[in-house]
Each structure stands twice: as structure tokens, then as C-alpha cells.
């Protein structure tokens, strides 16, 4: 048997401890599958004394992850600290500089610095892999990079933040409003320290940026993404969507259009009977579409110790088998800086607004939409609540930019109480 | 750039022509993703003159696939002829003997001869890969072999024959009986020349045998599988199942039990709200369960030109990138001959039978079940049709062997008109 593949693991939170457990409990299984033993040489974390439920006594301890990354007895640096800069980035760069392969679960670091890191890794002949950074245990990166490599990718979609999906399905199931369920989720510890990362769509946006880069051969460009969170979704939106046969999901979509690469993370209406519509609680789903393969749907746990550790092991065991794939699926130098297109793909939209109680108010809104060339598929006006009446409109297909102009014009009519809410209806 | 990876393709049916199309239309894309051009040196098929909608003039033609497999200008032999023996096997063996890598979509050949072929391939240092043999474009083989390699696999399930799923969902949607929908499917060209391969569960069984080998490190053993087709499923079964919140699917299940490896392909009741229950028409679904990753669900087209060609390319492009994975996920010599366990995993069952119109008839059946230690969860008796009354029973958990003894004893009571039908209820 070949000599062992020796890991250095930085970050011993839930996922790090999970990786240690798998390496310890499945040592023979991993060796029989890869022809090579996988061992741990050294570990690093903020607190040496904390009990993590795993025996670390056989491994060297490094207080400094950069020192860990450079150790001679480490073949693969496993970065599980998180954070887009700071120690995670410093240690990853140190490992690459030392010619070591890197496996990371760090979506934020890669979404911001992925291109530079991939270029450096290739210059040093090192592999930089990140299956665990996107959708936990779901093999999204491998499926897109390897299984669908014979396809021109036509669209990538996904529900990639379990907390947001939990909040939206809990609102629907229990008929609760956003604030109540948000507070529940916070109490349950489901939210990041900065909840905007979750409910603001940023965490999911990081993941989509990585998928888009692989799908279209483009340099990862998180800054160009259009991002909208779930904070403005009301229980009324959810119930109205359900009445019309839809569910509301925080959906990421990446597609190459004639005018550039469109990447957006936003609440969308999807058919209730579709796999995306049926996705409940914290489960994740990735939908990959290619010109030959059609639509492939991948579903599973998007977070948690076991699923994320399983994804880390997927990359580690690839390296043990000698599999070496470019970070974003092709040489970093070949990735192009794609023109970012804003919402050029037309879609129907759901619009909600409150109309003030004035004669001709609805006519003004209908005129604005008509003038913008937006035709109405369905409309409902409800009875007045105090001095305003809720109105829902489903439009025929239009572009987001046309719609935004119309929304702005609607605002200027003086017949709306508050800004209108618009949610895209995605064909899935 | 490295020198091209040169293919020899034997079999130019739908899938073969699809592979040629991808290689021709996406030549630059494939090269940019793998760092290596993929070319076709030679092709072989039964008829040289048939128009397949692709230009083959640039490729050498071989009448004999064995001669094609041995050509010096072929690096990878792509076997798309089908058939468990005959030319497919002869040519695959010839390619391996010549030290060439082989990519095949041939589930029957691998289910019967997979162990021997894998051993020969490894002895010659050749790769033998078969993503396209299982569930078309769904990356089932790669996900199980590579993505979940860090897991002890706890269960593998799948709906892997699109024709059967089409028949079952069409029966349900249109309220038609089996014979009518079978005739429809035949007229539409959905069935194999020998329809037993489809509706008898054999084709799906071949696929399950391959998945089980990877999952549990066992020698592929199609002969040990318990196989039951969909021929005895009636529209009444489907409607009764639906009334109780279930769907009937031809479901493959492989799980390692304390008494050995259980692999079975049979109609099962699954919850209507589960991903498997919601699977409609010819779509396939693979469910992989591991001790760390939990449950991963993969859904997509299980057949057809594009999806299957995409899977062939997945293997070809892996080879172009230099990825080399053992046929069944570990060295062929390490695969063990697992003891085949028959139905040791207990489950609830749905039983349907017709009771003759005699006093005390139902009591006799209830006594047989009670004597066998099988308790009844739910029972329905319907009004008499002529001289018999249909009865449905849902049992609590029992093993298939206990149930089979009870069914045999029920048959001996003399109060049944015809043999009872029993369908397992699978927890999914």
C-alpha cells in the first residue's frame, strides 16, 4: 500500500470534529476504498482545552493555523475555520505556497478570493477543493464539475440556505409571520451570529457564485450578483402564493444570457408540485441543467456535522485516490471575466401593494403597468383594511429592469401606501 | 496541451450517436475542461449505411467491434452495443487485454460478468467505468463511489426503470388497468424487445446489483437478488394505496443486515409525499443513505440519447483528466462474496385477496395471521363481487419470510379465491 495521506486540520468546530470522527472510526474503510490510509498529523483551533467529543491526543497541536499549514508532515491542509479573510485565508495561502493540497468548506473565502487562490494553487501544482462549501453533503460541486462536464450548462438553481428554507416553510405550515419565526429560529440557534448572512441571502449567494464559476467557466464574481433576502416576505405573500399553487423559496439562479452572466439570489415563487416547491425545512436542493443531460435534481442535508464532514471526506479521498481537478473545473487562467447581466431573462412576477382609498386609484396603477408594456395575467383586490386595500397582481413575462421602472412609477402615483413588493415566478 | 484522448465507439444507436454529437459540437468545451482534446478514431456498428444524423466520415469504420477494441489509435473503448454476452463482452475483453480503458453503458454485462471483468481490468492496469449503465444522466455511480466514500452506506434505493414508473403513474393518473397501459407503452416503443426485462424488474435489478457492489464492497451478485415485477399490480392496488397516502413504485433496495446483504427489486408502497412517491412518468431516482451524510436524493432522466450520452462523457472526461477509480470503488480482489440475505429487514406489508362467500372465512384468515405472529394495523373488506369479497390488510412490521409462510397458510384455508398479493411498505 502507498504511504498514508496525512491531514492537518485547522478548525475543530462541528465539522472539524466530524471529520476527525470519520477518519478515526472508518480508517480501514477509507483505506480499502482509496488504496491508501488517511491519517491526521496535526490539528489547530482557538481553544486547546475544549472538549469536542473526540480524542485528539495522537495529533500534534498548533496554536497557529499558518504553522499547521506549513508542517512537513501534512500533505493536505483541511481548512474548516471559516471567515473570508484572517487566519483562514492566511493559512490557505501558506499551505498553497508550501505546495500542499487544500480542502476547505469556506464559501465566503472562495466567493471573494477564489480566483486568486485558484491561480496560486495551480502555479504551485496544488489542488484546492471545496465540495463542503456548497450545500453540505449534496455532491453539487462534483456533479457539476465532473458528471456534467460533457454539457453546456444552461441553468443552475438552488435552495442553499437551510435556515431561510426553514423559516419560509415554518411560516407556511404554522401560519406565523416572519418576525415570529425569525425569533424562533434565533432561539433555536439556527442563525449565524450576523443573521443577515442567512436571511439577507449572502451565505447562499456565496455558494451560487461558486457554482456559476464552474458552470460557465467564469471568474467567481460575488460582487456582481443581485441579492435580495427574505426579510420582506409576509405571511400574506406565502398564503397568496399557496392559493395560486406556488411556494416561496429563497432561490439562487445562474444562467448565461445573450447579454452576459445573470446570477441572482432572491425569493421566488416556484410551482408547489415541483421538487423545489416540495422542499421542506432545512433541506437543500441543487438543480443542474445541461444541454444533453436535461435537468438533474440533487437533494439532501445542506449543513450539520455529518453531511458537511462527508463532503470534506469526498475531497480528501479524491486526493488519496490521485484525482486532481482544477478548482473551478478548468485551469484558473482560462476562466473569463464574464459581463454581469442584470435580470435580462424575462419572467412573470407576483406584485403586492396596498392601495389608498381614492377613486381611480387602481386605474392609475393599471395605466402605469400598461404604459410599461407589462400585461396582467391575474389580479385580486381585497376589501379595505382601514384606509387601504391589498392588491395582488401576477404579470405576464417581463424583465426585472422593466418591472423596476414600473414599480418606481407606481410609487410616484401617490395612490400606494408603502413600496410595492415584487417576487419573481421562476419556471423550474 | 497533452495529446488527445482517442475514442473507439462500438454501437451507434441512440446513445452512441449522442456521444458522437457531444464530441463534435463541444470539442473546445471538453478540451478546456480537461486540458486535453477528446477525439474519435474509429467506430463500429451493425449497419454501416444507416443514417444516424451524424457525420462519421472522419472516423475509421470497423465491422468487427473486437478489431475496433484492439486498434492502436484507440485509448478508450466505448462499448454501447448492449447484451450481456456476445460481441459486447468479447470486445470489452479484447480492449482490456490490450490494456485500454473501457467506458460502457452495459448494465447486463456488468451485472453478470462485472467481477471477472473488473479483475482482468485491474490486472492490466485498465479502468472499466460505467456511469451510463445506471439511471442514465443521474450521477449515481460517481456519487456513491466518490462523493460518499467517507460513509458506511446504510441503504441504497432507487426507481431505475423509467418504463415501469411510466406504467404505474399512467395507471394512477388515468385510472387504467395494467393491460391497457402496457399495450400503450408497447405501442409507444417504450418497452424492450423482451418486455420482461422492463416490467419483470430485470433491467432495474441489473442496476441495483451494480450499486450494491459499490455500496458494500461485495462482488456483484445478480443471481442472489430477489426480483418481482409489476405485472400483478392492479388498478385497485394503486387506488387503495393512494387512499392510504401511498404510491406504488418498482423500488430497488440494497441494505446490509446482520444476516447478510439484502438486495431486492419489487413493487413497494412509499409515502405519497416522499420524493420517491412524487416521482412521475419515466423519471428515475436514486436514494443513497450513509452514516454521516444522511439521505441524498438524486433525480433525473434515466434514459434517452442526451442523458445517457452525458453519463458516458462523464466517464470519458474523468479519464481525460487522469482520474482513475476502481470499477466497483475498491480493488476487485478486495470485493467479498457477501452472504445473500433474503428479506430479513422487517417492514409493514399491504395484502390484497378475495374472500369466498362462506361464514367464518375472514376469521380463518385472521387466525392464520395471528398464529404467524403478524398483527393487523388496518383492514378493509368491501362488498361482494359475485361470490367473492375483496379484502385489504395493512400489517404491522414483519419479515418477508414470515409473511410468505402466512400467505401460504392462507392459501390452504380454502377460503381465498386465488393467491393473495402482498406488497411491501418501504419507509423512505
Amino acid at each position: 500500500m502507498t504511504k498514508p495521506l496525512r491531514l492537518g486540520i485547522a478548525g475543530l468546530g462541528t465539522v472539524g470534529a466530524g471529520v476527525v470522527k470519520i477518519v478515526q472510526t472508518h480508517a480501514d474503510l477509507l483505506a480499502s476504498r482509496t488504496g491508501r490510509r488517511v491519517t491526521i498529523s496535526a490539528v489547530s483551533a482557538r481553544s486547546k482545552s475544549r472538549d469536542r467529543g473526540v480524542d485528539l491526543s495522537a495529533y500534534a497541536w498548533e496554536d497557529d493555523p499558518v504553522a499547521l499549514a506549513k508542517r512537513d508532515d501534512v500533505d493536505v491542509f483541511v481548512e474548516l475555520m471559516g471567515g473570508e479573510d484572517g487566519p483562514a485565508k492566511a493559512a490557505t495561502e501558506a499551505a498553497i505556497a508550501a505546495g500542499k493540497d487544500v480542502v476547505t468548506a469556506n464559501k465566503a473565502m472562495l466567493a471573494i478570493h477564489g480566483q486568486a487562490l485558484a491561480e496560486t494553487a495551480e502555479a504551485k501544482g496544488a489542488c484546492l477543493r471545496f465540495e463542503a462549501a456548497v450545500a453540505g453533503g449534496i455532491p453539487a460541486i462534483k456533479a457539476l464539475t465532473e458528471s456534467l462536464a460533457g454539457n453546456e450548462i444552461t441553468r443552475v438553481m438552488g435552495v442553499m440556505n437551510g435556515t431561510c428554507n426553514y423559516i419560509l416553510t415554518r411560516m407556511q405550515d404554522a401560519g406565523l409571520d416572519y418576525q415570529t419565526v425569525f425569533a424562533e429560529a434565533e432561539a433555536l440557534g439556527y442563525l449565524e451570529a450576523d443573521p443577515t448572512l442567512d436571511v439577507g441571502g449572502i451565505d447562499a449567494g456565496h455558494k451560487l457564485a461558486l457554482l456559476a464559476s464552474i458552470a460557465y467557466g467564469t471568474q467567481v464574481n460575488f460582487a456582481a450578483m443581485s441579492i435580495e433576502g427574505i426579510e420582506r416576505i409576509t405571511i400574506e405573500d406565502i398564503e397568496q402564493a399557496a392559493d395560486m399553487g406556488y411556494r416561496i423559496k429563497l432561490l439562487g439562479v445562474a444562467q448565461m444570457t445573450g447579454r452576459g452572466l445573470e446570477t441572482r439570489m432572491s425569493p421566488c415563487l416556484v410551482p408547489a408540485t415541483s421538487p423545489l416547491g416540495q422542499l421542506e425545512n432545512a433541506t437543500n436542493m441543487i438543480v443542474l441543467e445541461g444541454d444533453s443531460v436535461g435537468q438533474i435534481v440533487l437533494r439532501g442535508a445542506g449543513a450539520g456535522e455529518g453531511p458537511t464532514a462527508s463532503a470534506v471526506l469526498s475531497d480528501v479521498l479524491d486526493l488519496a485516490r490521485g484525482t486532481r481537478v482544477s478548482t473551478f473545473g478548468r485551469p484558473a487562467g482560462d476562466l473569463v471575466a464574464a459581463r454581469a447581466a442584470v435580470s435580462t431573462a424575462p419572467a412573470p412576477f407576483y406584485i403586492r401593494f396596498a392601495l389608498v382609498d381614492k377613486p381611480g386609484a387602481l386605474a392609475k396603477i393599471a395605466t402605469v403597468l400598461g404604459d410599461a408594456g407589462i400585461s396582467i395575467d391575474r389580479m385580486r383586490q381585497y376589501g379595505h383594511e382601514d384606509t387601504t386595500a391589498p392588491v395582488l397582481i401576477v404579470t405576464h413575462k417581463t424583465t426585472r429592469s422593466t418591472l423596476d421602472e414600473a414599480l418606481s412609477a407606481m410609487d410616484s402615483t401617490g395612490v400606494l401606501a408603502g413600496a410595492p413588493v415584487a417576487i419573481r415566478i421562476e419556471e423550474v
Side-chain angles (χ1 to χ4, degrees), chain A:
Chain A
M1 194 173 277
T2 329
K3 59 181 182 175
L5 185 77
R6 301 163 303 173
L7 311 183
I9 302 175
L12 293 169
T14 314
V15 178
V19 171
V20 173
K21 278 182 207 167
I22 294 177
V23 171
Q24 289 180 349
T25 59
H26 288 339
D28 292 343
L29 183 66
L30 306 188
S32 87
R33 286 189 174 142
T34 63
R36 199 168 171 190
R37 297 200 79 77
V38 175
T39 61
I40 297 169
S41 299
V43 296
S44 173
R46 266 178 293 203
S47 157
K48 188 173 178 179
S49 56
R50 192 179 137 208
D51 181 11
R52 298 172 171 93
V54 287
D55 180 6
L56 303 170
S57 59
Y59 317 137
W61 181 273
E62 295 278 4
D63 286 321
D64 177 8
V66 171
L68 175 77
K70 294 179 183 171
R71 286 176 66 101
D72 287 340
D73 59 358
V74 166
D75 302 311
V76 178
F77 177 62
V78 181
E79 189 284 297
L80 303 172
M81 294 178 284
E84 68 186 65
D85 289 296
K89 179 159 171 269
T92 297
E93 288 170 340
I96 291 171
K100 296 180 195 307
D101 296 329
V102 176
V103 171
T104 178
N106 194 331
K107 62 224 78 163
M109 178 178 75
L110 289 174
I112 309 298
H113 306 293
Q115 179 65 24
L117 290 170
E119 286 176 13
T120 319
E122 286 185 11
K124 298 292 291 185
C127 268
L128 170 61
R129 306 299 304 148
F130 59 95
E131 182 66 81
V134 177
I138 299 175
I141 301 298
K142 185 176 274 283
L144 186 57
T145 312
E146 302 172 32
S147 301
L148 269 56
N151 289 262
E152 183 179 327
I153 303 299
T154 47
R155 186 168 58 161
V156 173
M157 295 188 289
V159 169
M160 296 180 263
N161 183 281
T163 303
C164 287
N165 205 54
Y166 167 81
I167 290 174
L168 293 171
T169 54
R170 172 85 178 134
M171 285 170 72
Q172 165 134 21
D173 294 346
L176 295 170
D177 65 20
Y178 176 79
Q179 285 71 20
T180 305
V181 177
F182 179 89
E184 273 185 13
E186 200 158 38
L188 289 165
Y190 287 4
L191 287 159
E192 302 266 356
D194 173 5
T196 310
L197 289 175
D198 285 317
V199 297
I202 296 169
D203 167 80
H206 286 151
K207 298 168 186 170
L208 181 65
L210 301 177
L211 291 173
S213 173
I214 301 167
Y216 303 106
T218 50
Q219 295 179 6
V220 59
N221 188 356
F222 175 68
M225 190 179 302
S226 148
I227 299 185
E228 190 185 328
I230 62 168
E231 303 97 326
R232 292 178 70 199
I233 302 297
T234 65
I235 180 64
E236 289 75 24
D237 292 330
I238 287 179
E239 286 170 351
Q240 292 298 338
D243 268 6
M244 296 187 291
Y246 291 103
R247 295 284 179 274
I248 299 182
K249 299 288 169 190
L250 178 64
L251 188 70
V253 180
Q255 60 194 135
M256 189 61 80
T257 71
R259 294 171 58 187
L261 174 62
E262 181 172 337
T263 53
R264 53 194 153 78
M265 178 62 61
S266 65
C268 288
L269 272 65
V270 297
T273 54
S274 66
L276 280 165
Q278 292 162 345
L279 190 70
E280 302 222 312
N281 302 319
T283 313
N284 278 203
M285 183 170 283
I286 304 289
V287 179
L288 306 174
E289 295 176 353
D291 61 347
S292 289
V293 80
Q295 186 186 74
I296 295 288
V297 179
L298 313 173
R299 181 187 191 277
E305 174 183 318
T308 313
S310 170
V312 170
L313 262 293
S314 168
D315 284 337
V316 167
L317 299 177
D318 271 1
L319 293 170
R321 279 174 162 143
T323 299
R324 302 188 74 78
V325 177
S326 302
T327 305
F328 295 106
R330 60 188 101 187
D334 294 353
L335 298 166
V336 298
R339 189 151 59 113
V342 180
S343 310
T344 54
F349 282 84
Y350 158 101
I351 309 173
R352 168 177 55 83
F353 52 90
L355 210 55
V356 297
D357 188 10
K358 284 186 192 169
L362 190 58
K364 284 193 179 169
I365 297 301
T367 303
V368 165
L369 289 170
D371 288 350
I374 299 171
S375 60
I376 295 174
D377 179 31
R378 282 185 272 181
M379 200 203 67
R380 292 183 190 182
Q381 179 180 337
Y382 292 85
H384 285 73
E385 298 165 350
D386 301 323
T387 59
T388 66
V391 177
L392 305 171
I393 290 178
V394 172
T395 72
H396 283 290
K397 279 191 178 184
T398 182
T399 64
R400 181 80 212 194
S401 51
T402 303
L403 184 77
D404 282 342
E405 280 171 34
L407 292 175
S408 165
M410 282 164 66
D411 235 0
S412 310
T413 56
V415 300
L416 297 191
V421 167
I423 311 177
R424 187 185 181 95
I425 301 178
E426 188 75 29
E427 288 172 16
V428 296

